[in-house]
Amino acid sequence: MNDRKQRSTTAEDQGCLRWVLGVPLVILYLISGWFCWTALTIRPSGPWDDDARAGIVLSCVMAIAAAGVALLIILMPSARRALSRWWLAPPLVLSLVAAVRWAVTG
């Protein structure tokens, strides 16, 4: 009887932990996604447009930073127990997109 109650409490704790970790992670994903979108939509007018290139680089850096914070949260031991591995995909994809855009910008 006591073992069943403890398992139920553990499952409830993990459910709460998913919400406590999931909400900030989704917010960080949205922030990183917005910066990625900004980096992808800025178009320099020509080779002389240093301001647009600086905006692209700043957007890429901010996207990678937000995704990096999300990755740090996901890689915490308590988060790894509560969240599935699919939570790793968005920050990795967003970081990759931002890094490629930054590299293409030159």
Side-chain angles (χ1 to χ4, degrees), residues 60-71:
C60 291
V61 168
M62 296 302 290
I64 291 170
V69 171
L71 278 173

Side-chain angles (χ1 to χ4, degrees), residues 33-45:
W34 186 79
F35 279 117
C36 266
W37 178 79
T38 304
L40 292 171
T41 57
I42 297 174
R43 300 279 183 232
S45 298

Side-chain angles (χ1 to χ4, degrees), residues 51-84:
D51 292 335
R53 293 185 193 287
I56 292 169
V57 169
L58 178 62
S59 293
C60 291
V61 168
M62 296 302 290
I64 291 170
V69 171
L71 278 173
L72 288 176
I73 292 172
I74 295 168
L75 294 177
M76 291 187 323
S78 59
R80 283 187 291 168
R81 283 191 300 268
L83 301 173
S84 66

